[in-house]
Amino acid sequence: MTSKEPQQPNGPDSSAFGPVIDRLGPRLRAEFEQLHRSERTILAALTKPEVARQFAADPLATLAALKIEVPPIIKQRLKAASLTGDAPDLHRPRAFRLPNGQVITANVNIRFTGSPKVG
């Protein structure tokens, strides 16, 4: 017999989103749950290399182009990140200096493959 974790009173079981989401406040968690409803559409679009590159460079603009409504808190954070330069520039190589002075360059390869089946 398996036991299921209790569901949140305001939405689906947050364990579907992982431990990071569990640490968020209730409003932000609700916004991620709202965005999660568009997961299939997002993943289908990201199978196209050009859309995946655009998403890595500007996720908010890509979601808007896909006609996916981005909740207000997430939209605000994505806008602020692109304006302040805090948005990760994942499509470009990044250099890191190690404590011993050596410099290594990381090339990030983003591959969207789907999510685990919940149910």
Side-chain angles (χ1 to χ4, degrees):
M1 181 167 145
T2 62
S3 66
K4 290 186 177 182
E5 293 181 24
Q7 289 197 350
Q8 299 293 328
N10 296 330
D13 182 3
S14 65
S15 66
F17 304 108
V20 173
I21 298 292
D22 292 337
R23 287 184 262 159
L24 300 176
R27 288 181 58 208
L28 191 54
R29 187 179 312 128
E31 287 198 4
F32 274 108
E33 289 170 357
Q34 178 185 343
L35 194 58
H36 185 260
R37 292 184 198 120
S38 301
E39 179 184 28
R40 288 181 193 259
T41 304
I42 295 167
L43 291 176
L46 291 174
T47 60
K48 300 172 187 161
E50 182 59 31
V51 175
R53 277 190 290 281
Q54 290 172 352
F55 186 80
D58 189 354
L60 185 58
T62 305
L63 293 172
L66 295 172
K67 296 181 174 41
I68 294 173
E69 185 178 335
V70 180
I73 297 173
I74 296 172
K75 182 184 282 187
Q76 169 68 29
R77 291 188 182 184
L78 288 173
K79 279 183 186 178
S82 65
L83 292 175
T84 62
D86 290 340
D89 207 2
L90 297 176
H91 60 284
R92 292 197 178 131
R94 296 190 57 182
F96 298 94
R97 183 172 303 278
L98 299 177
N100 67 0
Q102 180 183 3
V103 176
I104 59 171
T105 302
N107 290 311
V108 178
N109 182 15
I110 303 170
R111 184 174 300 136
F112 297 95
T113 60
S115 66
K117 301 293 180 204
V118 179

